[in-house]
């Protein structure tokens, strides 16, 4: 058979068109907002397989809930609650997953000279920011010495023991970042190349937004609808810790959810700290750490952490950038 070249081309085009009608291109962004770990979370991903995309959105939500069930201090049956209940009486065996996160927390506690310390909760449990409740001066005095990461003994075979009765731990400064990181790992394992997962102040980006960077905003610490900066980011993590998420004000003092382990009280020099880096578990924990350290110590500390950068907003509304960000 002999085809005229233009007829062939028309034929090809109509064949392609009809194929397109039979199976319309399904590649698209898929999105799911959901509540977890006491905060708003969100996942957005690109896939060419609609059904896989839907499944993966739900898998991310389930992963958050799984970690919440393991690590929430508000769920009586969580491993963390059982640890808080039993570990002062003797060694408690926990899951390898929780044990490894406790190891990461211990590592940062040592590195930060105790600015990051999950045993802050030994005093922290007395605060209720919704009901304007704080520990009395007497409670602070008697309980402050219970805050010390050295009281948390990580033993062999995933066993943990608390050195004293009254020690409590809380993973609020690291668990959300960990969950965000886990969720991104799950998506990457399934072949996803472009995704964003965020929970509270912790965000992790996988790849870019198909040809352009993702844009992540830093909230204004005093005007909840405003932003102070928008950062173009690819394949990285960003976490913000602020004094405006959970707080109450009494007699002019702002009592908020980040505590200085040395005093058991909220530091006041900064309004927010944002940390950028390769993984969300670290950026989450580091943002809390820098908030406790304050501007001067925090800046010196982050300059020593290869791959991590920070943006500080002081109580005087001044912005400070670590050297990798300053142009
Ligand atoms: P958010 O929870 O709003 O994302 P952060 O990442 O800064 O903010 O975490 C704050 C949480 O970290 C607190 O709610 C508390 O659970 C925990 N936390 C507070 N102070 C410390 C500290 N010194 N070391 C470790 N964790 C802390
Ligand atoms: Mg944090």
């Amino acid at each position: 058979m002999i085809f005229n070249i233009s007829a062939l081309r028309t034929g090809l085009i109509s064949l392609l068109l009809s194929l397109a009608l039979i199976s319309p291109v399904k590649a698209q962004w898929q999105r799911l907002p959901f509540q977890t770990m006491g905060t708003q979370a969100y996942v957005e991903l690109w896939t060419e397989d609609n059904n896989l995309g839907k499944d993966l959105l739900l898998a991310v939500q389930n992963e958050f809930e799984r970690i919440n069930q393991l690590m929430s201090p508000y769920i009586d049956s969580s491993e963390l609650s059982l640890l808080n209940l039993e570990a002062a009486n003797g060694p408690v065996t926990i899951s390898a997953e929780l044990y490894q996160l406790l190891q990461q927390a211990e590592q940062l506690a040592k590195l930060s000279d105790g600015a990051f310390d999950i045993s802050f909760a030994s005093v922290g449990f007395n605060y209720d920011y919704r009901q304007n409740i704080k520990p009395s001066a007497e409670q602070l005095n008697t309980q402050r010495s219970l805050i010390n990461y050295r009281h948390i003994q990580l033993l062999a075979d995933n066993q943990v023991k608390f050195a004293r009765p009254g020690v409590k731990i809380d993973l609020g400064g690291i668990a959300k970042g960990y969950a965000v990181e886990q969720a991104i790992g799950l998506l990457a394992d399934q072949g996803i190349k472009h995704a964003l997962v965020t929970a509270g102040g912790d965000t992790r980006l996988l790849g870019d937004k198909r040809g352009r960077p993702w844009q992540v905003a830093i909230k204004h610490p005093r005007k909840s609808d405003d932003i102070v900066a928008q950062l173009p980011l690819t394949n990285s993590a960003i976490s913000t810790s602020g004094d405006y998420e959970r707080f109450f004000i009494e007699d002019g003092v702002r009592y908020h959810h980040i505590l200085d382990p040395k005093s058991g009280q909220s530091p006041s020099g900064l309004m927010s700290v944002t940390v950028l880096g390769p993984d969300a578990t670290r950026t989450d924990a580091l943002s809390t750490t820098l908030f406790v350290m304050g501007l001067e110590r925090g800046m010196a500390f982050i300059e020593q952490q290869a791959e991590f950068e920070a943006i500080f907003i002081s109580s005087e509304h001044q912005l400070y950038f670590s050297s990798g960000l300053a142009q």
Side-chain angles (χ1 to χ4, degrees):
M1 255 197 291
I2 300 169
F3 283 107
N4 171 304
I5 185 97
S6 63
L8 177 67
R9 205 176 280 151
T10 322
L12 247 181
I13 290 171
S14 59
L15 175 69
L16 285 175
L17 276 176
S18 60
L19 274 179
L21 285 178
I22 296 165
S23 85
V25 180
K26 280 185 178 163
Q28 57 172 296
W29 289 104
Q30 299 211 12
R31 306 178 170 96
L32 181 69
F34 57 97
Q35 294 280 326
T36 186
M37 300 179 144
T39 192
Q40 181 66 48
Y42 176 73
V43 49
E44 179 173 357
L45 59 87
W46 173 271
T47 172
E48 276 151 36
D49 181 339
N50 226 339
N51 291 328
L52 174 69
K54 287 205 176 81
D55 288 349
L56 290 179
L57 294 178
L58 292 178
V60 164
Q61 185 176 8
N62 289 338
E63 179 63 357
F64 270 95
E65 206 35 55
R66 185 188 68 78
I67 294 170
N68 193 34
Q69 294 297 326
L70 204 64
M71 302 184 185
S72 171
Y74 305 108
I75 298 174
D76 287 345
S77 59
S78 74
E79 271 201 297
L80 185 103
S81 295
L82 297 176
L83 199 54
N84 278 337
L85 205 62
E86 295 292 345
N89 301 328
V92 175
T93 304
I94 56 173
S95 63
E97 184 175 17
L98 181 58
Y99 189 86
Q100 279 159 22
L101 199 60
L102 295 184
Q103 282 180 316
Q104 286 204 49
E106 180 183 66
Q107 202 189 9
L108 184 56
K110 286 181 179 158
L111 195 66
S112 68
D113 194 20
F116 186 84
D117 190 331
I118 57 174
S119 70
F120 83 89
S122 312
V123 172
F125 85 98
N126 292 301
Y127 288 89
D128 185 333
Y129 300 98
R130 283 194 198 131
Q131 303 199 51
N132 298 14
I133 293 172
K134 60 177 180 354
S136 64
E138 195 195 324
Q139 279 173 316
L140 265 182
N141 260 335
T142 53
Q143 294 170 354
R144 211 170 38 204
S145 65
L146 297 172
I147 305 181
N148 191 333
Y149 63 90
R150 294 179 193 85
H151 295 334
I152 309 164
Q153 299 170 351
L154 303 183
L155 311 172
D157 303 324
N158 297 333
Q159 292 194 320
V160 180
K161 184 179 179 301
F162 294 163
R164 299 190 190 184
V167 172
K168 288 187 176 49
I169 62 176
D170 185 312
L171 295 169
I174 191 170
K176 258 185 286 166
Y178 172 72
V180 164
E181 195 60 36
Q182 284 288 117
I184 284 287
L186 179 161
L187 295 177
D189 285 348
Q190 295 297 317
I192 297 297
K193 300 274 186 288
H194 310 277
L196 172 153
V197 177
T198 183
D202 305 301
T203 302
R204 172 73 157 87
L205 311 160
L206 181 63
D208 66 355
K209 203 171 183 184
R210 292 187 27 96
R212 56 202 165 97
W214 297 91
Q215 298 288 339
V216 182
I218 300 180
K219 279 190 199 169
H220 191 293
R222 291 296 177 266
K223 296 180 199 157
S224 57
D225 293 336
D226 275 9
I227 63 169
V228 291
Q230 187 137 14
L231 305 171
L233 296 173
T234 305
N235 214 22
S236 56
I238 175 167
S239 295
T240 298
S241 289
D243 66 0
Y244 51 88
E245 293 291 349
R246 249 170 283 154
F247 72 97
F248 64 91
I249 293 175
E250 199 178 282
D251 300 329
V253 177
R254 180 180 283 251
Y255 296 89
H256 64 82
H257 69 149
I258 300 170
L259 297 183
D260 182 344
K262 302 232 152 50
S263 66
Q265 290 174 303
S266 312
S268 60
L270 296 167
M271 298 198 290
S272 93
V273 180
T274 298
V275 174
L276 299 101
D279 94 276
T281 313
R282 299 281 291 173
T283 55
D284 184 10
L286 281 171
S287 66
T288 311
T289 307
L290 299 189
F291 198 103
V292 171
M293 289 180 159
L295 176 62
E296 212 171 315
R297 224 180 115 209
M299 186 66 92
F301 183 79
I302 203 70
E303 293 291 358
Q304 299 300 315
Q305 310 305 313
E307 298 185 293
F308 292 90
E309 301 295 336
I311 301 168
F312 299 77
I313 306 180
S314 73
S315 305
E316 288 79 40
H317 294 251
Q318 295 293 316
L319 273 167
Y320 298 85
F321 298 87
S322 62
S323 59
L325 294 173
Q327 302 293 334

